[in-house]
Amino acid sequence: GAGVSQSPRYKVAKRGQDVALRCDPISGHVSLFWYQQALGQGPEFLTYFQNEAQLDKSGLPSDRFFAERPEGSVSTLKIQRTQQEDSAVYLCASSLDRVGEKLFFGSGTQLSVL
Amino acid sequence: DQQVKQNSPSLSVQEGRISILNCDYTNSMFDYFLWYKKYPAEGPTFLISISSIKDKNEDGRFTVFLNKSAKHLSLHIVPSQPGDSAVYFCAASVNYRDDKIIFGKGTRLHILP
């Protein structure tokens, strides 16, 4: 497709369960970002890749959060031992090259931890 | 500490009138500013941007004004249309340093018929 694709669209997890969220960026986009958006808040930065290199992971809230982009295209955000406070919409975005360029967002994965 | 602040959670404007959304920032290093629009159940979409070397950028019905001394920017929508009802996010980055984009909490705009 032409846009950023995220799957699953919705995910319900039991507390303590591991989850994996997938992002397919726009073809050819070098930069890929993960953001977390809690209810009523703006997107909060989690991590950033340039091709396969993870250049900034300063926003990951704990070591339970892990992201990878092994071939510089598809990315996976993994959350281990999910907690209720992890419930949020996880947004993936890509941009053509520089970080400051406009981002193209996917529709997000809504994670609910029960 | 929020670096990008949108102090109005919501705003209602009559159709055909001007909508003005405001944003303040605290980091004087920010040199690139963006506005995103978000409909329910969709990701944010880019609307308009402005570099710190400018004080105004216009694109159709949308104009962004930047006041660096006040660390303030605003988005003007003229005339407002029903399809403009959405959440608007102000965002900023330190572009020359290839730094991440920081978002505000958003303002929900309601266009009244």
Side-chain angles (χ1 to χ4, degrees):
Chain A
V4 177
S5 177
Q6 290 189 247
S7 60
R9 185 70 183 89
Y10 302 95
K11 176 69 179 177
V12 179
K14 290 183 180 178
R15 193 172 55 178
Q17 188 178 348
D18 297 349
V19 298
L21 313 180
R22 178 188 168 103
C23 173
D24 268 288
I26 293 173
S27 177
H29 276 198
V30 168
S31 297
L32 184 145
F33 304 81
W34 284 98
Y35 281 82
Q36 179 191 60
Q37 186 176 15
L39 194 63
Q41 303 294 313
E44 296 268 351
F45 172 81
L46 292 177
T47 186
Y48 156 57
F49 291 86
Q50 192 169 84
N51 295 306
E52 68 279 3
Q54 190 174 21
L55 298 187
D56 188 344
K57 54 181 181 179
S58 62
L60 296 176
S62 76
D63 58 8
R64 296 186 296 105
F65 286 71
F66 172 76
E68 60 183 5
R69 193 185 185 199
E71 296 177 1
S73 178
V74 171
S75 177
T76 304
L77 176 67
K78 298 179 179 177
I79 310 173
Q80 297 176 324
R81 304 181 304 280
T82 52
Q83 304 294 316
Q84 281 189 315
E85 61 263 26
D86 300 334
S87 296
V89 175
Y90 291 84
L91 294 164
C92 175
S94 67
S95 69
L96 190 57
D97 45 25
R98 291 173 59 89
V99 174
E101 294 293 325
K102 60 186 183 184
L103 302 179
F104 293 84
F105 281 88
S107 296
T109 293
Q110 184 165 340
L111 173 65
S112 299
V113 182
L114 306 178
Chain B
D1 180 35
Q2 268 214 302
Q3 298 185 66
V4 179
K5 300 178 184 179
Q6 294 178 258
N7 293 320
S8 297
S10 67
L11 176 68
S12 294
V13 174
Q14 207 75 37
E15 182 179 353
R17 298 289 189 101
I18 182 172
S19 294
I20 300 176
L21 295 98
N22 293 303
C23 177
D24 297 294
Y25 61 95
T26 57
N27 188 345
S28 56
M29 305 285 279
F30 286 145
D31 59 357
Y32 191 62
F33 304 88
L34 312 94
W35 285 93
Y36 282 80
K37 176 180 179 179
K38 185 182 183 304
Y39 292 119
E42 295 183 11
T45 55
F46 170 79
L47 196 55
I48 193 169
S49 63
I50 187 167
S51 163
S52 60
I53 62 173
K54 295 186 174 181
D55 54 19
K56 177 182 173 181
N57 189 26
E58 192 172 349
D59 183 2
R61 296 185 298 114
F62 303 92
T63 303
V64 56
F65 294 92
L66 176 62
N67 182 335
K68 288 187 290 296
S69 60
K71 294 194 182 68
H72 178 83
L73 63 155
S74 61
L75 174 68
H76 292 212
I77 307 174
V78 184
S80 299
Q81 298 176 355
D84 297 330
S85 294
V87 177
Y88 289 79
F89 292 102
C90 174
S93 74
V94 184
N95 196 38
Y96 79 90
R97 217 167 55 188
D98 269 354
D99 208 356
K100 55 190 173 284
I101 293 176
I102 306 294
F103 287 82
K105 290 188 176 183
T107 296
R108 184 176 298 277
L109 177 64
H110 300 270
I111 303 302
L112 306 171

